Amino acid sequence: MNYLFTSESVSEGHPDKVADQISDAILDEFLRQDKEAKVACETFCTAGLVVVGGEVRSEDAYVDVSAVVRRVISKIGYNKAEYGFDASSCGVISTIHEQSADINRGVVREKPEEQGAGDQGMMFGYASIDTDEYMPLALSLSHKLLQTLSDIRHNELELMPYLRPDAKAQFTVEFSAKHKPLRVHTIVVSTQHDEFDSDERMHARIEGDVRNIVIPRLIASLPERTARLFDSDFILHVNPTGKFVIGGPAGDTGLTGRKIIVDTYGGRGAHGGGAFSGKDPSKVDRSAAYAARYIAKNLVAAGVAKECLVQLAYAIGVAEPVSVFVDTYGSSDFDDALIAQKVREMFDLRPAAIIEKFALKNPIYEPCAAYGHMGRTPYVKDGMQFFGWEKLDSVELVRSTFAL
């Protein structure tokens, strides 16, 4: 029997994503000055106010928190007083203090390769053949629709001149009983906008523009196997409440780490509960989650499975993971326990090795903080590798290990 599955994404102007981007921008600035900085930065934002707190250990770095906060807010597009939250006038309070020595003693070791995990916990990575980037289809489409809307707002505002920064998208996809995507069933788009002369005129204009500008652009950007899932029968809901003028932190409080499902797999697979943004890579909440995604993606790309979930678990201060778990949902010819054993043999999963492999001590995190940490295209800028955990450079190793 066919079934429906739904995932959502939020734009860079969503209040929780504003908080995530501020936290990661502050982390980046510490790492830019001190690659060994230990940072756990949390952000709270509401109408007219941003509060930044957390723990930092650094010998050399000094960060102008207020300047970083205002730069991020302005870049997102909150630069008008009428939005109720803007870069030039919002208050900024910093309560960052020194990292606990009790935590630091488990992370910093005489031999760097023996660096322990920054905390206990379990992290998950997931991949499937649903999309070319090995991501769940409903989440991938939600991200891409909002990126299309954002591109219009930043670069072609004349097409939809009423757009404001806050937005959300949600896709429902119909699957066969054998988990094959069949069609896009329902699309929900809520986008913040300027005031209109009348609510009826506003709603008709925005719905028409989403249907006739945004969705066709999205479809045109997709590979053929995904584009053909759109037919004329999909259900479209645009701004279902009828009006969305008050948005961003002026409409809803934003907090770092409150969109962890958007950040990862849209509810497909599993999540260990730890957020990413604002945390330096000694925190395995972040680095081990990236490693788990890398492993799952390379396993699926190599043909070991059509769908794969990888769990890594750690104890604070201990380098080696306490467990490695793999679930291929019956999509592999290999036993899941065997795959987990091979994963331990193929990949060095100590925090220091993960950090070195993906060069995670570089200031590469702010671009991760909106539109997902996974499924992005890796690139090099200023000599630094961004989204290195998305590379497929272990496919041949996996194939040779499994004799594929």
Side-chain angles (χ1 to χ4, degrees):
M1 185 173 179
N2 296 351
Y3 66 93
L4 304 176
F5 189 84
T6 301
S7 292
E8 73 155 353
S9 181
V10 299
S11 75
E12 76 260 35
H14 186 281
D16 294 329
K17 282 288 131 199
V18 173
D20 284 344
Q21 289 166 93
I22 289 171
S23 292
D24 270 340
I26 290 171
L27 167 63
D28 280 349
E29 191 55 40
F30 273 104
L31 292 176
R32 190 170 285 111
Q33 299 179 40
D34 179 5
K35 288 183 180 294
E36 302 304 322
K38 300 296 181 285
V39 180
C41 177
E42 309 282 346
T43 301
F44 164 98
C45 55
T46 187
L49 178 65
V50 175
V51 179
V52 179
E55 303 80 46
V56 172
R57 179 177 290 263
S58 176
E59 297 295 330
D60 306 308
Y62 169 77
V63 174
D64 186 337
V65 171
S66 178
V68 173
V69 168
R70 297 184 195 283
R71 176 189 63 77
V72 172
I73 295 170
S74 179
K75 180 182 176 183
I76 292 168
Y78 286 112
N79 46 31
K80 296 181 181 179
E82 64 196 80
Y83 292 169
F85 181 79
D86 81 282
S88 61
S89 64
C90 69
V92 178
I93 298 173
S94 174
T95 61
I96 292 174
H97 60 275
E98 188 173 4
Q99 183 191 59
S100 162
D102 294 346
I103 295 175
N104 186 260
R105 67 184 298 192
V107 175
V108 177
R109 298 290 177 83
E110 185 176 340
K111 295 181 179 180
E113 66 273 13
E114 295 178 356
Q115 171 184 325
D119 203 351
Q120 69 179 48
M122 67 283 191
M123 281 57 63
F124 289 91
Y126 175 87
S128 80
I129 61 170
D130 278 4
T131 65
D132 288 0
E133 62 270 24
Y134 301 96
M135 287 290 287
L137 178 60
L139 178 65
S140 178
L141 291 173
S142 299
H143 284 327
K144 289 176 180 178
L145 186 145
L146 288 179
Q147 287 172 308
T148 301
L149 195 66
S150 177
D151 185 61
I152 291 171
R153 181 171 64 87
H154 284 293
N155 301 311
E156 297 181 83
L157 188 58
E158 66 277 5
L159 293 176
M160 301 173 70
Y162 49 80
L163 289 177
R164 291 184 177 183
D166 196 356
K168 302 176 81 171
Q170 181 174 286
F171 272 75
T172 300
V173 177
E174 182 177 350
F175 290 83
S176 72
K178 294 185 177 181
H179 313 300
K180 179 182 179 181
L182 300 175
R183 70 185 183 99
V184 171
H185 182 277
T186 302
I187 305 172
V188 182
V189 181
S190 295
T191 182
Q192 187 187 13
H193 57 84
D194 291 341
E195 289 277 10
F196 277 66
D197 294 336
S198 73
D199 290 350
E200 292 77 13
R201 176 175 171 269
M202 170 272 298
H203 195 269
R205 168 74 188 274
I206 298 175
E207 182 174 353
D209 287 348
V210 169
R211 185 180 294 276
N212 299 317
I213 298 174
V214 179
I215 293 177
R217 285 194 176 202
L218 166 65
I219 294 172
S221 72
L222 299 172
E224 195 276 333
R225 71 168 177 140
T226 305
R228 68 174 180 237
L229 301 176
F230 289 78
D231 58 33
S232 59
D233 295 330
F234 68 78
I235 300 166
L236 176 64
H237 297 289
V238 177
N239 285 12
T241 65
K243 188 175 183 180
F244 188 8
V245 172
I246 302 171
D252 192 11
T253 298
L255 290 171
T256 298
R258 203 159 55 178
K259 285 291 177 284
I260 57 177
I261 301 303
V262 172
D263 286 342
T264 52
Y265 308 106
R268 208 79 178 185
H271 197 294
F276 303 153
S277 290
K279 296 178 180 177
D280 76 84
S282 71
K283 282 76 173 173
V284 285
D285 275 346
R286 178 165 225 157
S287 52
Y290 292 165
R293 160 63 179 172
Y294 173 81
I295 293 166
K297 184 177 181 180
N298 277 267
L299 288 171
V300 171
V304 171
K306 294 180 180 178
E307 185 179 14
C308 183
L309 181 75
V310 174
Q311 184 203 56
L312 306 177
Y314 291 83
I316 187 169
V318 179
E320 292 286 351
V322 299
S323 69
V324 176
F325 169 82
V326 172
D327 186 356
T328 60
Y329 307 93
S331 70
S332 177
D333 294 331
F334 300 94
D335 181 76
D336 288 347
L338 173 66
I339 298 172
Q341 177 185 325
K342 296 294 186 183
V343 164
R344 275 193 177 269
E345 295 170 2
M346 286 186 291
F347 301 103
D348 189 341
L349 298 174
R350 295 173 298 169
I354 294 171
I355 291 168
E356 181 179 7
K357 179 170 179 58
F358 302 124
L360 296 181
K361 290 183 179 180
N362 288 317
I364 59 172
Y365 296 106
E366 187 180 346
C368 304
Y371 309 111
H373 294 244
M374 317 303 180
R376 308 288 288 276
T377 301
Y379 64 91
V380 175
K381 181 179 179 182
D382 299 328
M384 296 180 292
Q385 176 74 57
F386 290 75
F387 301 103
W389 50 93
E390 291 296 321
K391 295 174 74 173
L392 292 172
D393 54 2
S394 287
V395 168
E396 291 308 315
L397 170 64
V398 172
R399 286 176 176 161
S400 63
T401 299
F402 288 90
L404 294 171

